[in-house]
Amino acid sequence: MAGREGRRRVVLSVDLAARRLGLRPGMPVAKAQALHPDLLIMDADPDGDRAGLERLALWFQHRIAPIVAPDPPDGIVLDTTGADHLHGGEAVMLENMVTRLKESGITARAAIADTWGAAHALARYGRGPITLVPPGETAAAITDLPIEALRMPADLIDGLHGLGISRIGPLASMPRAPLALRFGPDVARRLDQAFGRQAEAIVPVRLQAPVQVSQNFAEPISAAETIARYITKLVPPLCAGLEEREQGVRRLDLLLHRVDSRTEAVRVATAMPVRDVRRLTRLLCDRIETIDPGFGIERMVLTASLAEPILHRQGVSALIEEEEADVSDLIDTLANRVGSQALYRFAPVESDVPERAVCRVPALAPEDGKEWPDHWPRPTRLLPRPEPIQTMAVLPDHPPVFFIWRGIRRRIRCADGPERVFGEWWKGDAELTTVRDYFRVEDTSGETFWVYRTGDGEHGETGSQGWFLHGLFE
């Protein structure tokens, strides 16, 4: 990619193949073409790149955390404090982010650290595609990284290389006064930001003006009781604004601006659009224990970052009618404590293969009209993977006389079956002839199991004729 720096046309970015040929950003385009005449050069589009980063930042803000901003020229910075629990923890969240981007055709590297500068450095110069630095270990994690990771201008990097300094550790151990005298304040500022000695604010992107209320304080606050009291004052006007738009909140962000320029964030989510003052207040107050007020909070901002039209339901109109139980309040409370991914229900899928006939959906997902099969009973507990068992049975259609599972021999008292299940031939050639024969068996102790044989008991191409235990009736 080529662009202009002043009057010169220079290389702005190169892919891996070009880098292996010795090409680097900042090189004049004429020199690059002279070295490699068949080089493919495209004009850079900085405005388009910036717009693309902003769209990606909004995508992350919609799905991951409330404080998200572009980190030009090729990054996104997120403050996930207070939101990572909704995604199963920091490690699971990072892995899901990188996987989702990869599925969209974007190769990404991700890092979590105590500071923006350290996370920026590790995401670009760390050893692996995913880096998770424990709290308090930022200095040790970035000491051995190159000085290019500190977000300093190219002329400063070249000057430091001229002094023989190539790593952050030796640079951080040098006296500050000579560095500032020769290179200005940028070197010390970037070091302090990376090591957490100087705060660096993240200004989040906004697509449109959401419903938002705020409170400024003449004197900073820090007590949990005081924070809770002002939450109770902010939620009612927010709900009033939502009522004017006929909306309910699905995701609520509380941003607490500290006196040291850092921002604490609390995010709560709801399973359905809500504008109930008491419920939203309780969900926010339950998260106060995760807030670090530092030396005090000087401003609180409450934002409905995701709102949807609220659906009004017809109430009970007769004394004999029973009102439908509303469990959404309980669902919201549990989801904000254990994470939305840990709370789900099972729904049927149109498939004859048992492990494909069920899927996980959100706890309050609407019914899609599909029903569970009732022609044969299904176990209440399906094993994650069928487990092999040792049996003795008369082929082709008789159930086992006994089976050994996990070292315990169980003698069969009665059985029902077989239920024949064929493979789904449209999914692959291997399932064209696949057959399973399922039996519901009860042992002498009264326990009931769901076992199957791979194959029809006569033809080898239909399966290995081995036996497996797939579920338990409880």
Side-chain angles (χ1 to χ4, degrees):
M1 305 294 293
R4 291 194 174 277
E5 289 185 357
R7 296 185 177 182
R8 298 195 318 159
R9 193 161 183 259
V10 298
V11 175
L12 296 182
S13 62
V14 296
D15 63 5
L16 182 59
R19 188 175 293 274
R20 288 172 176 169
L21 295 175
L23 304 182
R24 295 291 184 271
M27 177 184 294
V29 172
K31 180 179 179 180
Q33 288 179 316
L35 292 174
H36 304 283
D38 57 346
L39 193 65
L40 177 62
I41 299 178
M42 302 175 65
D43 291 330
D45 182 13
D47 293 336
D49 293 341
R50 192 177 303 110
L53 271 183
E54 290 180 356
R55 289 195 298 271
L56 190 59
L58 288 169
W59 185 87
F60 276 109
Q61 189 181 62
H62 181 72
R63 292 167 174 81
I64 305 297
I67 303 178
V68 183
D71 187 15
D74 58 356
I76 301 291
V77 58
L78 304 89
D79 187 346
T80 62
T81 306
D84 50 13
H85 70 285
L86 296 173
H87 308 283
E90 292 180 340
V92 176
M93 179 182 63
L94 277 190
E95 185 175 352
N96 289 341
M97 288 164 53
V98 172
T99 302
R100 289 289 297 274
L101 290 175
K102 185 177 181 180
E103 292 173 351
S104 301
I106 301 175
T107 301
R109 297 167 58 89
I112 286 185
D114 290 339
T115 65
W116 177 355
H120 174 101
L122 291 165
R124 290 159 178 79
Y125 296 91
R127 295 180 178 179
I130 295 178
T131 305
L132 187 62
V133 180
E137 299 184 13
T138 298
I142 66 174
T143 297
D144 198 42
L145 297 180
I147 58 175
E148 286 83 357
L150 289 176
R151 299 177 292 167
M152 294 187 296
D155 56 341
L156 287 185
I157 298 294
D158 294 339
L160 291 170
H161 278 301
L163 296 177
I165 303 172
S166 61
R167 298 289 168 180
I168 294 177
L171 178 62
S173 63
M174 293 182 65
R176 293 294 182 89
L179 283 176
L181 183 63
R182 182 164 184 173
F183 299 105
D186 282 346
V187 175
R189 178 171 62 90
R190 289 304 191 188
L191 284 171
D192 289 341
Q193 289 173 345
F195 286 97
R197 293 188 288 263
Q198 180 176 340
E200 189 172 8
I202 301 175
V203 181
V205 293
R206 292 293 183 200
L207 179 61
Q208 59 183 359
V211 179
Q212 179 175 287
V213 292
S214 62
Q215 176 70 51
N216 296 321
F217 306 107
E219 294 291 336
I221 66 172
S222 59
E225 296 81 4
T226 309
I227 296 173
R229 184 170 70 251
Y230 281 101
I231 287 176
T232 60
K233 293 182 178 181
L234 290 176
V235 173
L238 181 89
C239 292
L242 290 169
E243 187 173 4
E244 292 179 0
R245 300 188 184 187
E246 297 184 351
Q247 291 180 329
V249 67
R250 286 292 310 277
R251 189 171 60 238
L252 195 59
D253 296 329
L254 178 64
L255 304 183
L256 303 103
H257 300 272
R258 304 188 338 186
V259 295
D260 58 0
S261 299
R262 293 190 60 181
T263 302
E264 292 286 310
V266 172
R267 166 169 285 186
V268 297
T270 60
M272 57 190 300
V274 174
R275 60 168 180 257
D276 181 79
V277 174
R278 294 180 60 184
R279 182 190 300 191
L280 296 178
T281 300
R282 189 184 70 254
L283 291 176
L284 288 170
C285 289
D286 286 345
R287 303 295 301 167
I288 289 179
E289 61 184 14
T290 66
I291 298 172
D292 178 13
F295 295 106
I297 297 167
E298 60 183 1
R299 187 167 186 256
M300 291 173 59
V301 180
L302 185 61
T303 305
S305 55
L306 179 60
E308 296 177 357
I310 196 165
L311 300 177
H312 299 281
R313 296 187 303 174
Q314 177 67 40
V316 175
S317 58
L319 294 177
I320 60 174
E321 294 184 22
E322 294 185 4
E323 187 174 1
E324 183 179 353
D326 183 8
V327 297
S328 61
D329 193 4
L330 174 62
I331 296 297
D332 293 341
T333 301
L334 294 176
N336 284 281
R337 290 180 180 176
V338 303
S340 57
Q341 293 182 342
L343 203 64
Y344 54 86
R345 65 179 178 85
F346 291 110
V349 177
E350 293 181 352
S351 176
D352 289 332
V353 181
E355 59 266 32
R356 299 175 186 165
V358 62
C359 67
R360 295 181 179 183
V361 297
L364 293 181
E367 299 289 343
D368 55 7
K370 298 178 182 178
E371 297 182 355
W372 298 99
D374 56 0
H375 54 286
W376 283 89
R378 288 291 183 262
T380 53
R381 178 187 172 194
L382 196 69
L383 299 182
R385 292 182 180 84
E387 298 186 11
I389 57 177
Q390 300 177 19
T391 66
M392 184 178 70
V394 179
L395 299 179
D397 296 329
H398 287 72
V401 177
F402 69 87
F403 69 89
I404 301 175
W405 177 52
R406 296 181 179 178
I408 300 177
R409 180 187 177 98
R410 300 177 184 271
R411 184 171 182 82
I412 305 302
R413 182 171 61 182
C414 58
D416 187 17
E419 174 194 358
R420 180 154 293 181
V421 174
F422 293 93
E424 297 176 339
W425 53 266
W426 57 91
K427 291 186 178 292
D429 295 339
E431 298 194 31
L432 285 172
T433 58
T434 300
V435 173
R436 291 181 185 176
D437 281 345
Y438 278 88
F439 293 86
R440 182 184 182 189
V441 299
E442 181 180 333
D443 66 4
T444 53
S445 65
E447 296 184 75
T448 308
F449 304 88
W450 207 38
V451 301
Y452 72 86
R453 181 187 62 238
T454 57
D456 59 6
E458 296 181 288
H459 304 92
E461 65 273 11
T462 60
S464 64
Q465 315 303 325
W467 287 85
F468 295 84
L469 190 143
H470 203 172
L472 296 89
F473 293 87
E474 297 178 352

